[in-house]
Amino acid sequence: MKKRSKFLFAIICVLFVYSCKSQEKENPKTLGSSNFDLEKISFNEDPTTLFGKNKYYKTSIKDDNNSDIAYNYIISKKENPHVKVSLGNTDISKYKYDFKVSKDNKIIGVTTSFTTSEDLKDKIIKDLESQFSKNRVDINQIYDNPSIYRWQTPDKIIHFTYSEFEGDHIYNISIVNRKFGCDTFPLERVFVGEDICLKKYTKK
């Protein structure tokens, strides 16, 4: 009886864990159908399906020879009022999102930049830490302003830059597909001015 009870208890535990995981909300395949959490981007998304019928601006990213190496797909709330996007628990729907896509239609990463009078820094860091604390990378800060925060998982880099200017709070958040490495792909041209490859800053 004891063995049977232990067996039944084990089955219940497995079912409970499966039930909890099944209730976790996944990102929609198309922007606009429900909230898209940038933290949960998998880079397996199909860009054509992801953008769907939403309005976007497409610009080219070029190399030194003026040849296209990737594309920006810029989506704004103004043009797509139904689209809802968050960074974890922080709603950033009213700002624009810049998806970086390679020539072979793979997502390289996504960037959002915005300025607000609201101080969201601690909230954003707390939320990222709740998901990626074991992946935190400490950076030797050259300057106090801007400050750089970074997390590296096996599949993505979360690069968060924060600064203040005349009472405004300036945020820049990029999430990068680690299949695109600095040694094999010109990420510094794709994520301009963000030091994704840590050429100015170094890890502690």
Side-chain angles (χ1 to χ4, degrees), residues 27-35 54 82-84:
N27 277 335
K29 291 184 177 180
T30 302
L31 289 170
S33 56
S34 60
N35 180 65
N54 292 299
H82 59 288
V83 171
K84 186 177 180 182

Side-chain angles (χ1 to χ4, degrees), residues 42-61:
S42 69
F43 307 112
N44 294 319
E45 295 87 353
D46 175 65
T48 303
T49 303
L50 182 63
F51 304 140
K53 295 182 179 180
N54 292 299
K55 295 180 180 179
Y56 56 79
Y57 297 100
K58 181 181 178 182
T59 62
S60 297
I61 302 170

